[in-house]
Protein backbone atom coordinates (compact mmCIF):
# COMPACT_ATOMS: atom_id res chain seq x y z
CA UNK A 1 0.00 0.00 0.00
CA UNK A 2 1.27 3.50 -0.77
CA UNK A 3 1.88 5.64 2.31
CA UNK A 4 -0.42 8.53 2.96
CA UNK A 5 2.19 11.28 2.76
CA UNK A 6 -0.07 14.30 3.01
CA UNK A 7 -1.00 16.07 6.22
CA UNK A 8 -4.74 16.03 5.75
CA UNK A 9 -6.74 14.10 8.31
CA UNK A 10 -9.25 11.55 7.18
CA UNK A 11 -12.65 12.31 8.66
CA UNK A 12 -13.67 9.40 10.91
CA UNK A 13 -16.50 7.27 9.58
CA UNK A 14 -19.56 7.97 11.71
CA UNK A 15 -23.34 8.21 11.46
CA UNK A 16 -23.12 11.31 9.26
CA UNK A 17 -20.75 9.83 6.68
CA UNK A 18 -22.14 10.04 3.14
CA UNK A 19 -21.30 7.09 0.95
CA UNK A 20 -20.52 6.92 -2.76
CA UNK A 21 -20.26 3.53 -4.46
CA UNK A 22 -18.68 2.01 -7.51
CA UNK A 23 -20.82 -0.81 -8.95
CA UNK A 24 -19.20 -3.23 -11.37
CA UNK A 25 -17.48 -6.57 -11.66
CA UNK A 26 -14.55 -7.08 -11.52
CA UNK A 27 -13.26 -3.89 -9.87
CA UNK A 28 -9.72 -4.98 -9.09
CA UNK A 29 -8.05 -2.49 -11.44
CA UNK A 30 -10.23 0.55 -10.74
CA UNK A 31 -8.55 3.89 -9.96
CA UNK A 32 -11.79 5.65 -8.98
CA UNK A 33 -11.75 4.78 -5.25
CA UNK A 34 -8.22 6.18 -4.82
CA UNK A 35 -9.08 9.31 -6.78
CA UNK A 36 -12.34 10.12 -5.00
CA UNK A 37 -11.24 9.25 -1.49
CA UNK A 38 -8.22 11.51 -1.90
CA UNK A 39 -10.53 14.29 -3.13
CA UNK A 40 -12.82 13.86 -0.08
CA UNK A 41 -9.79 13.81 2.22
CA UNK A 42 -8.19 16.92 0.79
CA UNK A 43 -11.41 18.92 1.20
CA UNK A 44 -12.06 17.40 4.64
CA UNK A 45 -15.44 16.01 3.56
CA UNK A 46 -17.15 13.29 5.55
CA UNK A 47 -17.64 11.08 2.49
CA UNK A 48 -16.37 7.59 1.69
CA UNK A 49 -16.10 6.01 -1.78
CA UNK A 50 -16.64 2.24 -1.70
CA UNK A 51 -16.00 -0.34 -4.42
CA UNK A 52 -18.97 -2.74 -4.51
CA UNK A 53 -18.71 -5.78 -6.74
CA UNK A 54 -22.16 -6.69 -8.05
CA UNK A 55 -22.99 -9.85 -9.99
CA UNK A 56 -25.26 -9.52 -13.02
CA UNK A 57 -28.42 -10.88 -11.42
CA UNK A 58 -28.07 -8.69 -8.30
CA UNK A 59 -28.02 -5.21 -9.83
CA UNK A 60 -31.67 -4.43 -9.19
CA UNK A 61 -31.56 -5.56 -5.55
CA UNK A 62 -28.33 -3.70 -4.81
CA UNK A 63 -29.45 -0.40 -6.40
CA UNK A 64 -32.82 -0.55 -4.62
CA UNK A 65 -30.99 -1.05 -1.32
CA UNK A 66 -28.50 1.72 -1.96
CA UNK A 67 -31.32 4.18 -2.66
CA UNK A 68 -32.57 3.54 0.90
CA UNK A 69 -29.16 4.07 2.51
CA UNK A 70 -26.90 7.05 3.22
CA UNK A 71 -25.53 7.15 -0.34
CA UNK A 72 -25.10 10.41 -2.25
CA UNK A 73 -24.80 8.35 -5.42
CA UNK A 74 -22.50 5.98 -7.24
CA UNK A 75 -20.51 5.24 -10.36
CA UNK A 76 -21.39 2.33 -12.61
CA UNK A 77 -18.90 0.40 -14.69
CA UNK A 78 -18.57 -2.77 -16.74
CA UNK A 79 -20.77 -4.83 -17.07
CA UNK A 80 -23.67 -2.75 -15.69
CA UNK A 81 -23.55 0.56 -17.61
CA UNK A 82 -26.48 -0.31 -19.89
CA UNK A 83 -28.70 -2.46 -17.66
CA UNK A 84 -28.51 0.09 -14.82
CA UNK A 85 -30.88 2.31 -16.82
CA UNK A 86 -33.74 -0.06 -15.94
CA UNK A 87 -33.00 0.33 -12.22
CA UNK A 88 -33.27 4.14 -12.00
CA UNK A 89 -36.10 6.65 -11.50
CA UNK A 90 -34.80 8.95 -14.26
CA UNK A 91 -32.07 9.08 -16.91
CA UNK A 92 -30.89 12.43 -18.27
CA UNK A 93 -31.16 13.10 -21.98
CA UNK A 94 -27.45 12.88 -22.87
CA UNK A 95 -27.15 9.51 -21.08
CA UNK A 96 -30.27 8.35 -22.94
CA UNK A 97 -28.72 9.34 -26.26
CA UNK A 98 -25.50 7.53 -25.33
CA UNK A 99 -27.50 4.55 -24.11
CA UNK A 100 -25.38 4.06 -20.98
CA UNK A 101 -25.04 5.50 -17.47
CA UNK A 102 -21.80 5.81 -15.51
CA UNK A 103 -22.88 8.19 -12.73
CA UNK A 104 -25.96 8.14 -10.49
CA UNK A 105 -27.15 10.71 -7.97
CA UNK A 106 -29.57 9.92 -5.15
CA UNK A 107 -31.76 12.76 -3.90
CA UNK A 108 -34.65 12.11 -1.52
CA UNK A 109 -34.48 8.43 -2.41
CA UNK A 110 -34.74 9.14 -6.15
CA UNK A 111 -31.96 7.76 -8.36
CA UNK A 112 -31.02 9.70 -11.52
CA UNK A 113 -28.54 8.45 -14.12
CA UNK A 114 -26.02 10.51 -16.08
CA UNK A 115 -23.13 9.79 -18.41
CA UNK A 116 -20.08 11.94 -17.69
CA UNK A 117 -17.57 10.19 -19.99
CA UNK A 118 -18.01 12.51 -22.96
CA UNK A 119 -18.07 15.62 -20.75
CA UNK A 120 -14.94 14.32 -19.04
CA UNK A 121 -13.25 14.03 -22.41
CA UNK A 122 -14.25 17.56 -23.45
CA UNK A 123 -13.05 19.00 -20.13
CA UNK A 124 -9.72 17.20 -20.44
CA UNK A 125 -9.30 18.69 -23.90
CA UNK A 126 -10.03 22.16 -22.54
CA UNK A 127 -7.64 21.63 -19.64
CA UNK A 128 -4.77 20.08 -21.59
CA UNK A 129 -5.12 21.86 -24.90
CA UNK A 130 -6.93 25.03 -23.92
CA UNK A 131 -9.34 24.10 -26.69
CA UNK A 132 -13.05 24.48 -27.13
CA UNK A 133 -14.76 21.79 -29.20
CA UNK A 134 -17.04 24.32 -30.90
CA UNK A 135 -16.46 24.51 -34.65
CA UNK A 136 -13.71 21.87 -34.66
CA UNK A 137 -13.34 19.01 -37.15
CA UNK A 138 -12.85 15.80 -35.19
CA UNK A 139 -11.76 12.35 -36.34
CA UNK A 140 -12.55 9.49 -33.99
CA UNK A 141 -10.98 6.05 -34.18
CA UNK A 142 -13.29 3.39 -32.73
CA UNK A 143 -17.03 2.90 -32.23
CA UNK A 144 -17.35 1.20 -28.84
CA UNK A 145 -18.90 2.43 -25.61
CA UNK A 146 -16.43 5.25 -24.99
CA UNK A 147 -16.71 6.38 -28.62
CA UNK A 148 -20.51 6.63 -28.28
CA UNK A 149 -20.26 8.80 -25.19
CA UNK A 150 -17.67 11.07 -26.79
CA UNK A 151 -19.38 11.38 -30.20
CA UNK A 152 -22.81 12.21 -28.72
CA UNK A 153 -21.28 14.82 -26.45
CA UNK A 154 -19.14 16.40 -29.18
CA UNK A 155 -22.19 16.71 -31.44
CA UNK A 156 -24.18 18.41 -28.67
CA UNK A 157 -21.31 20.76 -27.84
CA UNK A 158 -21.05 22.04 -31.40
CA UNK A 159 -18.23 20.16 -33.11
CA UNK A 160 -18.36 21.19 -36.78
CA UNK A 161 -17.71 17.69 -38.15
CA UNK A 162 -17.14 14.25 -36.64
CA UNK A 163 -15.61 11.51 -38.80
CA UNK A 164 -15.61 7.99 -37.35
CA UNK A 165 -13.29 5.20 -38.52
CA UNK A 166 -13.60 1.72 -37.04
CA UNK A 167 -12.23 -1.77 -37.75
CA UNK A 168 -15.81 -3.00 -38.02
CA UNK A 169 -17.13 -0.42 -40.49
CA UNK A 170 -20.80 -1.25 -39.86
CA UNK A 171 -20.46 -0.10 -36.25
CA UNK A 172 -19.01 3.26 -37.34
CA UNK A 173 -21.97 3.74 -39.71
CA UNK A 174 -24.49 2.82 -37.02
CA UNK A 175 -22.91 5.25 -34.55
CA UNK A 176 -22.89 8.06 -37.12
CA UNK A 177 -26.60 7.49 -37.79
CA UNK A 178 -27.36 7.63 -34.04
CA UNK A 179 -25.31 10.81 -33.58
CA UNK A 180 -27.04 12.54 -36.51
CA UNK A 181 -30.43 11.47 -35.13
CA UNK A 182 -29.86 14.02 -32.34
CA UNK A 183 -30.66 16.71 -34.86
CA UNK A 184 -27.39 17.96 -36.37
CA UNK A 185 -26.12 16.29 -39.52
CA UNK A 186 -22.46 16.53 -38.48
CA UNK A 187 -21.24 12.95 -38.31
CA UNK A 188 -20.09 10.47 -40.94
CA UNK A 189 -18.29 7.11 -41.05
CA UNK A 190 -14.99 6.98 -42.96
CA UNK A 191 -12.92 3.93 -43.94
CA UNK A 192 -10.05 2.93 -41.65
CA UNK A 193 -7.87 2.31 -44.76
CA UNK A 194 -4.54 4.25 -44.76
CA UNK A 195 -5.18 6.24 -47.96
CA UNK A 196 -8.63 7.37 -46.86
CA UNK A 197 -7.29 8.26 -43.39
CA UNK A 198 -4.46 10.28 -44.87
CA UNK A 199 -6.87 12.45 -46.84
CA UNK A 200 -9.38 12.78 -43.98
CA UNK A 201 -6.67 13.72 -41.46
CA UNK A 202 -5.61 16.69 -43.61
CA UNK A 203 -9.03 18.17 -42.85
CA UNK A 204 -8.99 17.27 -39.15
CA UNK A 205 -8.30 19.54 -36.16
CA UNK A 206 -8.55 16.93 -33.42
CA UNK A 207 -7.82 13.19 -33.65
CA UNK A 208 -9.15 10.97 -30.85
CA UNK A 209 -8.27 7.32 -30.36
CA UNK A 210 -11.17 5.62 -28.56
CA UNK A 211 -10.10 2.07 -29.43
CA UNK A 212 -8.24 -0.09 -26.93
CA UNK A 213 -5.32 -0.42 -29.37
CA UNK A 214 -2.07 0.52 -27.60
CA UNK A 215 -3.34 -0.40 -24.16
CA UNK A 216 -1.18 -2.49 -21.80
CA UNK A 217 0.03 -5.21 -22.41
CA UNK A 218 0.09 -4.37 -26.14
CA UNK A 219 1.90 -1.05 -25.87
CA UNK A 220 3.70 -1.58 -29.17
CA UNK A 221 0.49 -1.19 -31.19
CA UNK A 222 -0.92 1.95 -32.79
CA UNK A 223 -4.45 2.34 -34.23
CA UNK A 224 -3.15 4.00 -37.44
CA UNK A 225 0.06 3.66 -39.48
CA UNK A 226 2.68 6.32 -38.55
CA UNK A 227 2.85 7.82 -42.04
CA UNK A 228 -0.81 8.90 -42.26
CA UNK A 229 -0.51 11.35 -39.37
CA UNK A 230 0.28 14.93 -40.40
CA UNK A 231 1.80 17.48 -37.99
CA UNK A 232 -0.17 20.33 -36.48
CA UNK A 233 -3.14 18.36 -35.11
CA UNK A 234 -4.31 17.90 -31.58
CA UNK A 235 -3.97 14.17 -30.89
CA UNK A 236 -5.88 12.61 -27.99
CA UNK A 237 -5.70 9.04 -26.75
CA UNK A 238 -8.29 7.92 -24.21
CA UNK A 239 -6.15 4.87 -23.36
CA UNK A 240 -4.47 5.80 -20.05
CA UNK A 241 -2.42 2.67 -19.39
CA UNK A 242 0.27 3.50 -20.44
CA UNK A 243 -0.12 7.28 -20.22
CA UNK A 244 2.18 7.82 -23.19
CA UNK A 245 0.82 5.47 -25.85
CA UNK A 246 2.58 4.68 -29.08
CA UNK A 247 0.10 6.97 -30.89
CA UNK A 248 0.99 9.87 -28.59
CA UNK A 249 4.72 9.21 -29.04
CA UNK A 250 4.39 9.35 -32.81
CA UNK A 251 2.22 12.45 -32.57
CA UNK A 252 4.86 14.15 -30.43
CA UNK A 253 7.55 13.41 -33.00
CA UNK A 254 5.37 15.07 -35.63
CA UNK A 255 4.92 18.19 -33.52
CA UNK A 256 1.26 17.60 -32.65
CA UNK A 257 -0.32 18.80 -29.41
CA UNK A 258 -1.07 15.86 -27.10
CA UNK A 259 -3.94 15.03 -24.76
CA UNK A 260 -3.49 11.99 -22.47
CA UNK A 261 -6.35 9.67 -21.49
CA UNK A 262 -5.84 10.17 -17.78
CA UNK A 263 -7.49 13.58 -18.08
CA UNK A 264 -10.77 12.05 -19.27
CA UNK A 265 -10.74 9.64 -16.32
CA UNK A 266 -10.13 12.43 -13.82
CA UNK A 267 -12.63 14.88 -15.31
CA UNK A 268 -15.45 12.34 -15.69
CA UNK A 269 -14.91 11.72 -11.97
CA UNK A 270 -14.77 15.44 -11.24
CA UNK A 271 -18.23 15.92 -12.78
CA UNK A 272 -19.64 13.16 -10.56
CA UNK A 273 -17.84 14.56 -7.51
CA UNK A 274 -19.55 17.90 -8.02
CA UNK A 275 -22.95 16.23 -8.38
CA UNK A 276 -22.51 14.28 -5.12
CA UNK A 277 -20.95 17.01 -2.98
CA UNK A 278 -22.06 20.26 -4.59
CA UNK A 279 -18.41 21.32 -4.57
CA UNK A 280 -15.87 21.80 -7.33
CA UNK A 281 -13.57 18.78 -7.49
CA UNK A 282 -9.89 19.18 -6.52
CA UNK A 283 -8.64 17.86 -9.87
CA UNK A 284 -4.93 18.33 -9.13
CA UNK A 285 -5.22 16.16 -6.02
CA UNK A 286 -7.13 13.57 -8.06
CA UNK A 287 -4.37 13.47 -10.71
CA UNK A 288 -1.75 13.12 -7.97
CA UNK A 289 -3.62 10.28 -6.26
CA UNK A 290 -3.87 8.32 -9.51
CA UNK A 291 -0.28 9.02 -10.51
CA UNK A 292 0.93 7.64 -7.19
CA UNK A 293 -0.76 4.25 -7.66
CA UNK A 294 -0.55 3.74 -11.44
CA UNK A 295 2.49 2.95 -13.53
CA UNK A 296 4.73 6.02 -14.04
CA UNK A 297 4.57 6.10 -17.86
P1 LIG B 1 -15.33 -1.25 -26.38
O1 LIG B 1 -16.74 -0.80 -26.24
O2 LIG B 1 -15.00 -2.68 -26.22
O3 LIG B 1 -14.81 -0.75 -27.84
C1 LIG B 1 -13.55 -1.11 -28.30
C2 LIG B 1 -13.24 -0.39 -29.60
O4 LIG B 1 -11.86 -0.69 -29.94
C3 LIG B 1 -14.08 -0.86 -30.78
O5 LIG B 1 -14.26 0.22 -31.67
C4 LIG B 1 -13.19 -1.94 -31.41
O6 LIG B 1 -13.41 -2.13 -32.80
C5 LIG B 1 -11.82 -1.32 -31.22
N1 LIG B 1 -10.75 -2.33 -31.22
C6 LIG B 1 -10.48 -3.22 -30.24
N2 LIG B 1 -9.41 -3.98 -30.59
C7 LIG B 1 -9.03 -3.54 -31.83
C8 LIG B 1 -7.99 -3.92 -32.72
N3 LIG B 1 -7.13 -4.90 -32.42
N4 LIG B 1 -7.88 -3.24 -33.88
C9 LIG B 1 -8.74 -2.24 -34.20
N5 LIG B 1 -9.74 -1.84 -33.39
C10 LIG B 1 -9.88 -2.48 -32.22
O7 LIG B 1 -14.39 -0.48 -25.35
P2 LIG B 1 -14.61 0.97 -24.68
O8 LIG B 1 -15.31 0.79 -23.38
O9 LIG B 1 -15.16 1.90 -25.67
O10 LIG B 1 -13.09 1.35 -24.29
C11 LIG B 1 -12.10 1.55 -25.31
C12 LIG B 1 -10.78 2.01 -24.67
O11 LIG B 1 -10.98 3.27 -24.03
C13 LIG B 1 -10.25 1.08 -23.57
O12 LIG B 1 -8.84 1.00 -23.71
C14 LIG B 1 -10.61 1.78 -22.28
O13 LIG B 1 -9.68 1.51 -21.25
C15 LIG B 1 -10.51 3.23 -22.70
N6 LIG B 1 -11.38 4.13 -21.91
C16 LIG B 1 -10.81 5.18 -21.28
C17 LIG B 1 -11.59 6.05 -20.55
C18 LIG B 1 -10.95 7.23 -19.88
O14 LIG B 1 -11.56 7.80 -18.97
N7 LIG B 1 -9.77 7.65 -20.27
C19 LIG B 1 -12.98 5.84 -20.47
C20 LIG B 1 -13.54 4.74 -21.13
C21 LIG B 1 -12.72 3.89 -21.84
P3 LIG B 1 -14.52 -3.20 -33.33
O15 LIG B 1 -15.83 -2.49 -33.27
O16 LIG B 1 -14.07 -3.48 -34.73
O17 LIG B 1 -14.44 -4.39 -32.43
Amino acid sequence: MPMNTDNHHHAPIDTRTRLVGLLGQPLGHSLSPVMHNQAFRILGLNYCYLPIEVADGDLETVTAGIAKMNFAGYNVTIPHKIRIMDCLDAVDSLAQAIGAVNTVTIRDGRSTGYNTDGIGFVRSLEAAGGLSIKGQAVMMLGSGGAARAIAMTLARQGAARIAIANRTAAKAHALAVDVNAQGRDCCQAVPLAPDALKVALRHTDILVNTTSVGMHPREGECPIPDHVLPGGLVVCDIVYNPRQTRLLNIARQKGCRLVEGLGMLVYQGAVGFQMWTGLEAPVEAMFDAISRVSSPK
Side-chain angles (χ1 to χ4, degrees):
M1 281 293 286
M3 293 261 292
N4 183 359
T5 50
D6 64 47
N7 293 320
H8 297 265
H9 291 290
H10 200 317
I13 290 176
D14 59 21
T15 53
R16 294 192 309 176
T17 303
R18 310 281 330 265
L19 302 175
V20 179
L22 170 63
L23 276 50
Q25 188 179 54
L27 295 176
H29 59 281
S30 178
L31 297 170
S32 292
V34 171
M35 170 171 90
H36 283 291
N37 283 320
Q38 178 66 2
F40 295 146
R41 192 176 302 142
I42 229 120
L43 296 186
L45 299 177
N46 191 356
Y47 276 69
C48 182
Y49 189 101
L50 294 171
I52 303 169
E53 289 204 342
V54 181
D56 259 330
D58 294 335
L59 188 62
E60 196 146 10
T61 315
V62 170
T63 51
I66 280 180
K68 305 259 184 222
M69 295 165 68
N70 49 334
F71 276 80
Y74 49 91
N75 281 130
V76 186
T77 187
I78 290 164
H80 303 313
K81 283 186 172 193
I82 296 171
R83 255 205 347 110
I84 186 71
M85 305 210 309
D86 297 330
C87 307
L88 303 171
D89 298 302
V91 175
D92 104 307
S93 89
L94 175 59
Q96 276 180 35
I98 294 167
V101 159
N102 75 335
T103 303
V104 174
T105 61
I106 300 170
R107 298 207 171 115
D108 303 321
R110 262 178 70 82
S111 306
T112 307
Y114 300 87
N115 192 309
T116 67
D117 275 337
I119 304 160
F121 172 74
V122 170
R123 288 227 188 143
S124 78
L125 195 64
E126 290 165 355
L131 274 165
S132 154
I133 204 67
K134 226 180 176 64
Q136 303 286 321
V138 182
M139 155 96 75
M140 275 184 30
L141 306 171
S143 308
R148 266 191 96 73
I150 290 173
M152 290 294 178
T153 308
L154 294 183
R156 287 192 178 209
Q157 300 213 351
R161 284 181 286 118
I162 305 169
I164 305 178
N166 192 48
R167 176 179 61 180
T168 312
K171 279 172 66 183
H173 282 284
L175 178 54
V177 167
D178 288 351
V179 170
N180 290 337
Q182 293 193 106
R184 283 183 59 227
D185 194 15
C186 60
C187 191
Q188 72 176 109
V190 298
L192 190 57
D195 288 349
L197 283 177
K198 200 165 185 170
V199 173
L201 283 170
R202 275 192 224 129
H203 307 282
T204 297
D205 302 311
I206 302 171
L207 172 67
V208 191
N209 173 45
T210 74
T211 75
S212 48
V213 178
M215 189 168 79
H216 179 79
R218 298 167 75 173
E219 284 102 336
E221 295 178 9
C222 184
I224 53 171
D226 302 12
H227 68 89
V228 305
L229 188 66
L233 265 71
V234 176
V235 177
C236 316
D237 203 330
I238 74 161
V239 169
Y240 55 80
N241 178 21
R243 285 177 70 160
Q244 292 294 315
T245 57
R246 171 105 199 273
L247 174 65
L248 290 181
N249 282 329
I250 291 162
R252 179 185 297 104
Q253 286 162 22
K254 304 222 175 179
C256 296
R257 291 160 75 184
L258 313 180
V259 181
E260 289 181 1
L262 207 55
M264 174 174 167
L265 181 71
V266 168
Y267 282 97
Q268 65 74 31
V271 175
F273 183 95
Q274 181 150 23
M275 290 175 178
W276 301 318
T277 65
L279 300 172
E280 199 171 310
V283 288
E284 287 307 321
M286 292 161 85
F287 270 109
D288 288 349
I290 285 183
S291 303
R292 249 178 275 150
V293 296
S294 61
S295 55
K297 278 286 160 194

